[in-house]
Amino acid sequence: MATVTTPTTPSARAVKAGAHLHRKKRLFWPFAAPALALYLAFLVLPTIATVVLSFTSWAGAGDTPKPNGVTNYTQMVASDSFQYAFGNTLIYVFLGGIGTFALAFLFTMVLRDMKGGKTVRAILFFPNIVAPVALGMFLGFVFKYQPGKQGLANYVMESLGADAAKFLAPSNVTDVVTASLIWASSGFYITILMAAVDRIPPYLYEDAELGGASPWQKFRNITLPMTWDVVGVAGVLWTINALKIFELVFVLAGPGTYAPPNEAWTLGIYVFDRTFGSNGTPDFGAACACAVAMIALVSVLVVLLRRLMRRDAIQF
Protein backbone atom coordinates (compact mmCIF):
# COMPACT_ATOMS: atom_id res chain seq x y z
CA MET A 1 0.00 0.00 0.00
CA ALA A 2 1.53 3.30 -1.10
CA THR A 3 2.20 5.95 1.49
CA VAL A 4 0.75 9.33 0.71
CA THR A 5 2.96 12.26 1.78
CA THR A 6 1.81 15.80 2.07
CA PRO A 7 4.17 18.18 0.28
CA THR A 8 5.58 21.00 2.37
CA THR A 9 4.01 24.22 1.20
CA PRO A 10 5.82 27.56 1.14
CA SER A 11 3.61 28.77 3.96
CA ALA A 12 4.62 25.79 6.12
CA ARG A 13 8.30 26.50 5.46
CA ALA A 14 7.74 30.11 6.43
CA VAL A 15 6.12 29.02 9.69
CA LYS A 16 9.09 26.77 10.51
CA ALA A 17 11.56 29.54 9.69
CA GLY A 18 9.62 31.96 11.88
CA ALA A 19 9.60 29.48 14.78
CA HIS A 20 13.36 28.94 14.40
CA LEU A 21 13.97 32.70 14.38
CA HIS A 22 11.80 33.08 17.47
CA ARG A 23 13.86 30.48 19.32
CA LYS A 24 17.08 32.29 18.35
CA LYS A 25 15.67 35.57 19.67
CA ARG A 26 14.76 33.90 22.96
CA LEU A 27 18.41 32.85 23.34
CA PHE A 28 19.73 36.34 22.61
CA TRP A 29 19.13 38.02 25.96
CA PRO A 30 20.43 35.19 28.22
CA PHE A 31 23.75 35.34 26.36
CA ALA A 32 23.92 39.12 25.87
CA ALA A 33 22.71 40.20 29.32
CA PRO A 34 25.96 39.46 31.25
CA ALA A 35 28.10 41.36 28.73
CA LEU A 36 25.65 44.28 28.67
CA ALA A 37 25.56 44.36 32.48
CA LEU A 38 29.37 44.53 32.67
CA TYR A 39 29.44 47.20 29.94
CA LEU A 40 26.87 49.25 31.84
CA ALA A 41 28.57 48.84 35.22
CA PHE A 42 32.17 49.43 34.16
CA LEU A 43 31.86 51.86 31.25
CA VAL A 44 28.53 53.65 30.91
CA LEU A 45 27.88 54.44 34.58
CA PRO A 46 31.49 55.53 35.35
CA THR A 47 31.44 57.75 32.26
CA ILE A 48 28.20 59.40 33.38
CA ALA A 49 29.62 59.83 36.91
CA THR A 50 32.78 61.41 35.46
CA VAL A 51 30.76 63.94 33.47
CA VAL A 52 28.65 64.82 36.55
CA LEU A 53 31.69 65.17 38.83
CA SER A 54 33.42 67.42 36.29
CA PHE A 55 30.93 70.15 37.24
CA THR A 56 31.68 69.86 40.96
CA SER A 57 34.40 70.63 43.48
CA TRP A 58 35.40 67.51 45.40
CA ALA A 59 38.55 66.24 47.07
CA GLY A 60 37.56 62.61 46.58
CA ALA A 61 36.73 61.94 50.24
CA GLY A 62 35.06 63.61 53.18
CA ASP A 63 32.64 66.31 52.08
CA THR A 64 30.11 65.65 49.34
CA PRO A 65 30.75 67.12 45.88
CA LYS A 66 29.74 70.78 45.59
CA PRO A 67 28.45 72.03 42.21
CA ASN A 68 30.62 74.78 40.72
CA GLY A 69 29.35 75.02 37.14
CA VAL A 70 31.99 75.19 34.43
CA THR A 71 34.72 76.49 36.75
CA ASN A 72 36.80 73.33 36.37
CA TYR A 73 36.76 73.67 32.59
CA THR A 74 37.63 77.38 32.51
CA GLN A 75 40.48 76.93 34.99
CA MET A 76 41.72 73.88 33.11
CA VAL A 77 41.85 75.62 29.73
CA ALA A 78 43.59 78.66 31.25
CA SER A 79 46.28 76.63 33.06
CA ASP A 80 49.74 76.28 31.53
CA SER A 81 49.98 72.64 32.59
CA PHE A 82 46.86 71.71 30.57
CA GLN A 83 48.09 73.60 27.53
CA TYR A 84 51.39 71.74 27.66
CA ALA A 85 49.57 68.44 28.19
CA PHE A 86 47.15 69.06 25.32
CA GLY A 87 49.89 70.12 22.91
CA ASN A 88 52.16 67.20 23.77
CA THR A 89 49.31 64.73 23.40
CA LEU A 90 48.51 66.05 19.93
CA ILE A 91 52.21 65.74 19.01
CA TYR A 92 52.15 62.08 20.02
CA VAL A 93 48.92 61.47 18.10
CA PHE A 94 49.88 63.16 14.83
CA LEU A 95 53.67 63.20 14.55
CA GLY A 96 54.00 59.86 16.30
CA GLY A 97 51.27 58.42 14.09
CA ILE A 98 52.85 59.69 10.87
CA GLY A 99 56.24 58.29 11.85
CA THR A 100 54.83 54.96 13.01
CA PHE A 101 52.75 54.32 9.89
CA ALA A 102 55.49 55.53 7.55
CA LEU A 103 57.87 53.02 9.16
CA ALA A 104 55.20 50.31 9.16
CA PHE A 105 54.46 50.80 5.45
CA LEU A 106 58.17 50.80 4.63
CA PHE A 107 58.72 47.49 6.40
CA THR A 108 55.54 46.11 4.83
CA MET A 109 56.96 46.74 1.35
CA VAL A 110 60.29 45.14 2.30
CA LEU A 111 59.02 42.13 4.27
CA ARG A 112 56.48 41.05 1.65
CA ASP A 113 59.17 39.62 -0.63
CA MET A 114 61.81 38.96 1.99
CA LYS A 115 62.89 35.47 2.98
CA GLY A 116 62.47 34.97 6.71
CA GLY A 117 59.99 37.84 6.83
CA LYS A 118 57.89 36.15 9.54
CA THR A 119 60.92 35.88 11.81
CA VAL A 120 61.78 39.55 11.29
CA ARG A 121 58.14 40.42 11.95
CA ALA A 122 58.27 38.61 15.29
CA ILE A 123 61.48 40.44 16.26
CA LEU A 124 59.96 43.81 15.39
CA PHE A 125 56.90 42.98 17.48
CA PHE A 126 59.00 42.28 20.58
CA PRO A 127 58.93 45.82 22.12
CA ASN A 128 55.13 45.57 22.35
CA ILE A 129 55.27 42.69 24.81
CA VAL A 130 57.43 44.70 27.23
CA ALA A 131 55.61 46.65 29.93
CA PRO A 132 55.73 50.44 29.29
CA VAL A 133 57.34 51.03 32.69
CA ALA A 134 60.16 48.57 31.93
CA LEU A 135 60.53 50.06 28.46
CA GLY A 136 60.78 53.53 29.99
CA MET A 137 63.46 52.38 32.42
CA PHE A 138 65.47 50.87 29.56
CA LEU A 139 65.18 54.04 27.46
CA GLY A 140 66.11 56.11 30.50
CA PHE A 141 69.32 54.11 30.73
CA VAL A 142 69.95 54.73 27.01
CA PHE A 143 69.31 58.49 27.06
CA LYS A 144 70.57 59.33 30.57
CA TYR A 145 72.69 62.46 30.92
CA GLN A 146 74.77 62.63 34.07
CA PRO A 147 78.43 63.65 34.39
CA GLY A 148 80.50 60.53 34.82
CA LYS A 149 77.49 58.24 34.29
CA GLN A 150 76.41 58.85 30.73
CA GLY A 151 73.75 56.79 29.05
CA LEU A 152 74.43 54.59 26.06
CA ALA A 153 73.41 57.24 23.50
CA ASN A 154 75.75 59.88 24.95
CA TYR A 155 78.54 57.32 25.33
CA VAL A 156 78.34 56.56 21.60
CA MET A 157 78.17 60.27 20.73
CA GLU A 158 81.20 61.10 22.83
CA SER A 159 83.09 58.15 21.33
CA LEU A 160 82.44 59.66 17.91
CA GLY A 161 83.70 63.06 19.05
CA ALA A 162 80.31 64.74 19.52
CA ASP A 163 79.16 66.55 22.64
CA ALA A 164 76.79 64.82 25.05
CA ALA A 165 73.15 65.89 24.78
CA LYS A 166 70.53 66.34 27.47
CA PHE A 167 67.95 64.09 25.82
CA LEU A 168 65.67 63.95 28.85
CA ALA A 169 65.64 67.68 29.60
CA PRO A 170 62.06 69.05 29.86
CA SER A 171 62.44 70.83 26.51
CA ASN A 172 63.64 67.67 24.74
CA VAL A 173 61.73 64.84 26.39
CA THR A 174 58.70 65.15 24.09
CA ASP A 175 60.88 64.55 21.04
CA VAL A 176 62.55 61.57 22.74
CA VAL A 177 59.21 60.06 23.73
CA THR A 178 57.84 60.56 20.20
CA ALA A 179 60.84 58.76 18.68
CA SER A 180 60.56 56.03 21.33
CA LEU A 181 56.86 55.56 20.57
CA ILE A 182 57.58 55.20 16.86
CA TRP A 183 60.30 52.62 17.57
CA ALA A 184 58.26 50.66 20.12
CA SER A 185 54.87 50.76 18.36
CA SER A 186 55.73 50.23 14.71
CA GLY A 187 56.16 46.46 15.15
CA PHE A 188 52.55 46.12 16.28
CA TYR A 189 51.22 47.94 13.23
CA ILE A 190 53.64 46.12 10.92
CA THR A 191 52.07 42.87 12.15
CA ILE A 192 48.54 44.16 11.51
CA LEU A 193 49.35 45.49 8.04
CA MET A 194 51.29 42.38 7.05
CA ALA A 195 48.30 40.24 8.00
CA ALA A 196 46.24 42.33 5.58
CA VAL A 197 48.94 42.14 2.87
CA ASP A 198 48.99 38.34 3.18
CA ARG A 199 45.36 38.28 1.96
CA ILE A 200 46.21 39.98 -1.34
CA PRO A 201 46.36 37.49 -4.25
CA PRO A 202 49.99 37.07 -5.39
CA TYR A 203 49.02 37.23 -9.08
CA LEU A 204 48.31 40.96 -8.72
CA TYR A 205 51.93 41.59 -7.80
CA GLU A 206 53.09 39.20 -10.52
CA ASP A 207 51.08 41.07 -13.16
CA ALA A 208 52.46 44.39 -11.90
CA GLU A 209 55.99 42.97 -12.01
CA LEU A 210 55.51 41.87 -15.62
CA GLY A 211 54.22 45.34 -16.44
CA GLY A 212 57.41 46.90 -15.10
CA ALA A 213 55.86 48.52 -12.01
CA SER A 214 58.25 49.92 -9.41
CA PRO A 215 57.95 48.99 -5.71
CA TRP A 216 56.32 52.36 -5.04
CA GLN A 217 53.78 51.83 -7.84
CA LYS A 218 52.93 48.36 -6.51
CA PHE A 219 52.44 49.79 -3.03
CA ARG A 220 50.35 52.72 -4.25
CA ASN A 221 48.12 50.80 -6.66
CA ILE A 222 47.88 47.37 -5.02
CA THR A 223 48.96 47.23 -1.39
CA LEU A 224 47.40 50.45 -0.11
CA PRO A 225 43.97 50.12 -1.80
CA MET A 226 43.70 46.46 -0.82
CA THR A 227 44.52 47.14 2.83
CA TRP A 228 42.72 50.46 3.22
CA ASP A 229 40.05 49.13 5.61
CA VAL A 230 42.73 47.61 7.87
CA VAL A 231 44.73 50.86 7.77
CA GLY A 232 41.63 52.69 8.99
CA VAL A 233 41.20 50.32 11.94
CA ALA A 234 44.91 50.59 12.78
CA GLY A 235 44.61 54.39 12.70
CA VAL A 236 41.76 54.29 15.22
CA LEU A 237 43.80 52.00 17.51
CA TRP A 238 46.78 54.34 17.31
CA THR A 239 44.67 57.41 18.11
CA ILE A 240 43.16 55.82 21.20
CA ASN A 241 46.48 54.48 22.48
CA ALA A 242 48.38 57.73 21.86
CA LEU A 243 45.81 59.77 23.76
CA LYS A 244 46.24 57.52 26.80
CA ILE A 245 50.04 57.61 26.95
CA PHE A 246 51.18 57.90 30.54
CA GLU A 247 53.78 55.42 31.82
CA LEU A 248 56.49 56.05 29.24
CA VAL A 249 56.44 59.82 29.77
CA PHE A 250 56.14 59.46 33.54
CA VAL A 251 59.24 57.26 33.75
CA LEU A 252 61.39 59.09 31.20
CA ALA A 253 60.57 62.66 32.26
CA GLY A 254 60.02 62.10 35.97
CA PRO A 255 62.65 63.53 38.34
CA GLY A 256 62.33 60.52 40.62
CA THR A 257 60.15 62.33 43.16
CA TYR A 258 56.57 62.74 42.01
CA ALA A 259 55.60 64.04 38.57
CA PRO A 260 57.47 65.23 35.45
CA PRO A 261 57.93 68.96 34.75
CA ASN A 262 54.89 70.63 33.22
CA GLU A 263 56.59 70.94 29.83
CA ALA A 264 56.53 67.14 29.47
CA TRP A 265 52.96 66.50 30.64
CA THR A 266 50.30 64.61 28.71
CA LEU A 267 46.57 64.60 29.37
CA GLY A 268 46.95 61.35 31.28
CA ILE A 269 49.56 62.88 33.59
CA TYR A 270 47.32 65.93 34.09
CA VAL A 271 44.50 63.65 35.28
CA PHE A 272 46.93 61.77 37.55
CA ASP A 273 48.24 64.99 39.07
CA ARG A 274 44.80 66.42 39.79
CA THR A 275 43.57 63.10 41.16
CA PHE A 276 46.38 62.55 43.67
CA GLY A 277 47.08 66.18 44.42
CA SER A 278 50.78 66.84 43.92
CA ASN A 279 50.04 70.51 44.59
CA GLY A 280 48.03 69.95 47.74
CA THR A 281 44.51 68.61 48.15
CA PRO A 282 43.33 66.30 45.38
CA ASP A 283 40.81 67.85 43.01
CA PHE A 284 38.62 65.12 41.54
CA GLY A 285 36.44 67.68 39.78
CA ALA A 286 39.38 69.03 37.76
CA ALA A 287 40.59 65.50 37.03
CA CYS A 288 37.13 64.52 35.75
CA ALA A 289 36.99 67.67 33.60
CA CYS A 290 40.24 66.64 31.88
CA ALA A 291 38.95 63.06 31.51
CA VAL A 292 35.82 64.41 29.79
CA ALA A 293 38.04 66.49 27.50
CA MET A 294 39.97 63.32 26.61
CA ILE A 295 36.73 61.47 25.84
CA ALA A 296 35.55 64.34 23.63
CA LEU A 297 38.92 64.59 21.87
CA VAL A 298 39.19 60.88 21.11
CA SER A 299 35.56 60.83 19.90
CA VAL A 300 36.13 63.74 17.52
CA LEU A 301 39.41 62.34 16.18
CA VAL A 302 38.02 58.84 15.65
CA VAL A 303 34.91 60.15 13.84
CA LEU A 304 37.04 62.38 11.59
CA LEU A 305 39.44 59.54 10.91
CA ARG A 306 36.67 57.11 10.01
CA ARG A 307 35.13 59.66 7.65
CA LEU A 308 38.50 60.38 6.07
CA MET A 309 39.25 56.68 5.61
CA ARG A 310 35.80 55.79 4.28
CA ARG A 311 35.97 54.10 0.86
CA ASP A 312 34.08 51.43 -1.00
CA ALA A 313 35.28 47.95 -0.19
CA ILE A 314 37.41 46.29 -2.88
CA GLN A 315 36.51 42.71 -3.64
CA PHE A 316 39.33 40.30 -4.52
Side-chain angles (χ1 to χ4, degrees):
M1 181 176 179
T3 301
V4 179
T5 59
T6 303
T8 304
T9 62
S11 59
R13 288 196 297 269
V15 170
K16 289 183 178 179
H20 179 67
L21 181 62
H22 179 69
R23 286 194 298 270
K24 289 178 64 176
K25 288 182 177 179
R26 289 178 59 185
L27 291 174
F28 173 79
W29 286 111
F31 283 99
L36 292 175
L38 293 174
Y39 182 81
L40 180 67
F42 292 103
L43 183 64
V44 176
L45 293 180
T47 301
I48 295 174
T50 299
V51 174
V52 173
L53 288 174
S54 69
F55 296 100
T56 66
S57 175
W58 186 40
D63 296 336
T64 57
K66 299 178 181 179
N68 64 353
V70 296
T71 302
N72 291 327
Y73 290 94
T74 55
Q75 292 179 350
M76 176 183 70
V77 173
S79 67
D80 292 338
S81 55
F82 176 80
Q83 294 174 11
Y84 280 122
F86 188 81
N88 290 336
T89 301
L90 291 183
I91 289 174
Y92 296 140
V93 171
F94 291 104
L95 292 185
I98 292 172
T100 298
F101 280 91
L103 195 60
F105 283 132
L106 176 62
F107 273 95
T108 299
M109 295 172 62
V110 173
L111 293 177
R112 189 184 62 81
D113 298 321
M114 179 180 176
K115 291 184 178 180
K118 292 184 178 180
T119 302
V120 176
R121 197 186 314 178
I123 295 173
L124 293 173
F125 186 80
F126 177 76
N128 292 275
I129 67 177
V130 180
V133 173
L135 187 62
M137 294 176 66
F138 167 73
L139 293 173
F141 166 76
V142 172
F143 294 111
K144 180 172 64 175
Y145 175 85
Q146 187 177 352
K149 296 181 180 179
Q150 300 287 32
L152 181 61
N154 278 322
Y155 176 80
V156 173
M157 291 176 62
E158 290 181 340
S159 300
L160 297 175
D163 294 331
K166 296 182 179 180
F167 291 106
L168 300 183
S171 58
N172 299 329
V173 72
T174 299
D175 297 332
V176 172
V177 172
T178 302
S180 301
L181 278 176
I182 294 172
W183 168 75
S185 302
S186 56
F188 176 76
Y189 295 97
I190 289 170
T191 303
I192 293 178
L193 295 178
M194 284 302 301
V197 170
D198 290 341
R199 302 182 307 166
I200 301 175
Y203 67 81
L204 295 177
Y205 291 105
E206 294 171 0
D207 291 345
E209 189 76 26
L210 292 174
S214 65
W216 166 249
Q217 289 174 326
K218 287 187 285 187
F219 172 77
R220 178 185 175 186
N221 298 300
I222 300 176
T223 304
L224 190 59
M226 294 292 186
T227 60
W228 191 254
D229 54 339
V230 178
V231 173
V233 174
V236 171
L237 292 175
W238 168 263
T239 302
I240 296 172
N241 291 329
L243 280 170
K244 297 189 300 181
I245 182 174
F246 172 79
E247 300 97 327
L248 190 60
V249 178
F250 195 87
V251 174
L252 280 177
T257 53
Y258 187 80
N262 286 357
E263 293 90 334
W265 277 21
T266 63
L267 292 177
I269 294 177
Y270 184 95
V271 172
F272 170 84
D273 178 80
R274 293 299 184 266
T275 302
F276 295 99
S278 64
N279 297 320
T281 305
D283 191 346
F284 271 55
C288 289
C290 185
V292 172
M294 292 177 68
I295 295 172
L297 180 60
V298 73
S299 301
V300 170
L301 291 178
V302 168
V303 170
L304 290 177
L305 184 62
R306 295 302 294 169
R307 288 185 176 274
L308 180 66
M309 302 293 291
R310 182 184 299 170
R311 290 189 182 182
D312 295 333
I314 299 177
Q315 302 294 332
F316 57 91

